[in-house]
Amino acid sequence: MTSRLLMPVRSRGTAPAGVPEPAADPTPGSTRATAILDHGHPLVAALAARAARGGRTDRDRLRAAHRLIVAGVRPVYSVEDRRRASRTLRLGRGSCSQRMAVLEAVARSLGIPTRVRGLLVDGSFWYPRFPRLRPFVPAEVLLAWPEFRLDGGWVPIAGLFDHAGPSREGGFANTGAETLFEAVARTGVDWDAPAACDGTSGACDLSAHLRTDLGRFTSRDELFGRYGQTLCRPARTLAEPVLGRWSAGAA
């Protein structure tokens, strides 16, 4: 059983009222700075400048930025999804959500519009990471899945990388040191395919873990402003000092 006691009241339930149909959602995205995506900060601007030297195309630059973030920001289990991208860079550690925010901030600094898809993912997806803490894992986790405007279309973060065939290491298992942020560069990650992920195909299908698709939002600020974060404020206050320094994959 997963926990609902630690979740904000407004995010409980599997089908929030007023959710738009994803297929008809015209969300445009943006390049402007936000409270989370503070791309005018010198740390974000410096990272964007380094990424800009990583290739001729926007896709190449985003891949370069991803590599720089993987190399420079240690993966941890921080629960503060609204943390500024600049603070994540200054700390040198961040959760998947926080490091995705850094990538979005860099993209916007480079003039590449971004938006996010709001996903409510079953808490059991994180059981392999917290085998002894299952009763405290939230019933569902709110995930802001980034999308980037490239070549006239919207490309999800996993689509930035080429996955021509099955990964030799298999699909994403959500265990060990590799997190979703690293995995997208190695294997496909798909929240829409019809069958459960078994790690045998080039695209790792995670659709069986998806509870609710909340649609697209111009920014993660907008998503979290409407639905709140995964944990309520008291739970975040108590958990962050420990989880915010707990390295992914550490015993």
Side-chain angles (χ1 to χ4, degrees):
M1 178 178 292
T2 51
S3 174
R4 292 188 179 275
L5 297 177
L6 305 180
M7 298 165 57
V9 173
R10 62 179 171 178
S11 70
R12 293 181 183 180
T14 58
V19 175
E21 287 292 335
D25 192 342
T27 307
S30 176
T31 59
R32 71 179 180 86
T34 69
I36 300 175
L37 309 177
D38 57 339
H39 63 67
H41 191 281
L43 288 177
V44 180
L47 180 59
R50 293 176 64 193
R53 298 192 291 268
R56 294 185 177 182
T57 69
D58 286 342
R59 188 183 297 264
D60 288 339
R61 298 181 187 109
L62 289 177
R63 288 174 174 176
H66 183 274
R67 289 193 298 270
L68 290 168
I69 297 167
V70 168
V73 183
R74 176 168 60 92
V76 295
Y77 297 124
S78 176
V79 293
E80 291 291 351
D81 287 326
R82 301 187 77 160
R83 175 172 290 164
R84 293 177 181 271
S86 61
R87 178 164 172 76
T88 298
L89 289 174
R90 184 166 62 251
L91 291 173
R93 61 178 186 270
S95 66
C96 273
S97 178
Q98 291 164 351
R99 290 181 294 158
M100 288 178 188
V102 172
L103 184 61
E104 291 172 61
V106 168
R108 291 189 176 205
S109 180
L110 295 172
I112 304 169
T114 78
R115 67 182 188 183
V116 296
R117 181 181 177 189
L119 305 174
L120 284 176
V121 180
D122 196 292
S124 63
F125 181 56
W126 278 268
Y127 279 176
R129 295 198 175 275
F130 306 102
R132 297 182 181 180
L133 299 175
R134 287 188 180 185
F136 300 100
V137 175
E140 55 197 22
V141 173
L142 178 57
L143 181 63
W145 195 245
E147 297 181 344
F148 305 87
R149 188 73 175 177
L150 298 173
D151 302 321
W154 286 104
V155 178
I157 183 171
L160 297 177
F161 302 90
D162 296 324
H163 304 294
S167 170
R168 290 179 297 175
E169 296 85 6
F172 179 63
N174 204 10
T175 188
E178 182 183 62
T179 71
L180 270 172
F181 188 77
E182 289 87 15
V184 294
R186 179 184 62 82
T187 186
V189 176
D190 188 354
W191 296 101
D192 296 308
C197 174
D198 59 8
T200 61
S201 63
C204 181
D205 175 12
L206 302 180
S207 61
H209 302 286
L210 179 59
R211 284 192 171 194
T212 308
D213 187 338
L214 300 174
R216 270 76 177 181
F217 299 80
T218 300
S219 70
R220 60 182 51 235
D221 303 64
E222 181 185 350
L223 170 64
F224 294 131
R226 179 172 178 181
Y227 289 103
Q229 299 180 61
T230 294
L231 298 181
C232 62
R233 180 176 294 179
R236 295 198 309 272
T237 300
L238 292 172
E240 181 61 26
V242 176
L243 295 180
R245 301 182 188 295
W246 186 353
S247 295

